[in-house]
């Protein structure tokens, strides 16, 4: 499919970015990080050349690259890419957009993995607020973020707040039929 798109649109067309990003994601989940990274870098170059540095599509490639570095424990490389993706998403979609919550959650996971619980809590708290505003207080996506937030709160010795967030997440999931 990528070859057909390259032939019809051109190898440097921004129309390729969804295919490049999708293929990068497939490689990521297959743990083929070298190929995933190459596609994500190509996607970023195509978007930047064709649409400019501030285009919202430009957030996907750094987010993908950050995730690759993150799972490999290369946090120094991952962090600026996550923040770049966050800045582009906030500028393009607004600070309260759901895609911003995704990046914040990924940042929180990276901070948690490094033992930076205070920063992880901040990112998760903001992601929870965004998801509540977007989906409502009782949405399973809110519960998922709350559960992760609670786990970090517990690690940072905020046991009472962690228990409250866990209870709320469980209640949401129970109402939705998840056990």
């Amino acid at each position: 499919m990528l070859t057909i798109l390259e032939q019809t649109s051109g190898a440097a067309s921004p129309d390729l970015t969804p295919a490049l990003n999708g293929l990068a994601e497939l490689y990521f989940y297959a743990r083929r990080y070298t190929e995933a990274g190459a596609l994500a870098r190509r996607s970023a170059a195509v978007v930047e050349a064709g649409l400019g540095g501030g285009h919202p599509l430009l957030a996907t490639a750094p987010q993908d690259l950050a995730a690759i570095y993150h799972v490999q424990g290369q946090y120094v490389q991952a962090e600026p890419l996550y923040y770049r993706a966050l800045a582009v998403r906030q500028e393009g979609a607004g600070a309260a957009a759901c895609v911003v919550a995704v990046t914040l959650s990924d940042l929180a996971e990276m901070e948690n993995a490094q033992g930076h619980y205070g920063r992880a809590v901040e990112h998760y708290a903001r992601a929870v607020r965004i998801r509540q505003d977007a989906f409502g207080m009782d949405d399973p996506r809110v519960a998922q973020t709350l559960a992760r937030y609670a786990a970090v709160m517990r690690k940072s010795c905020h046991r009472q707040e962690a228990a409250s967030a866990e209870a709320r997440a469980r209640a949401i999931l129970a109402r939705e039929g998840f056990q």
Side-chain angles (χ1 to χ4, degrees), residues 50-68:
L51 300 173
H55 196 278
L57 279 176
L58 196 56
T60 303
Q63 179 92 15
D64 291 348
L65 281 170
I68 292 164

Side-chain angles (χ1 to χ4, degrees), residues 98-114:
C98 294
V99 292
V100 171
V102 170
T103 303
L104 288 167
S105 292
D106 288 350
L107 263 168
E109 281 298 308
M110 184 193 67
E111 297 292 2
N112 180 33
Q114 296 177 84

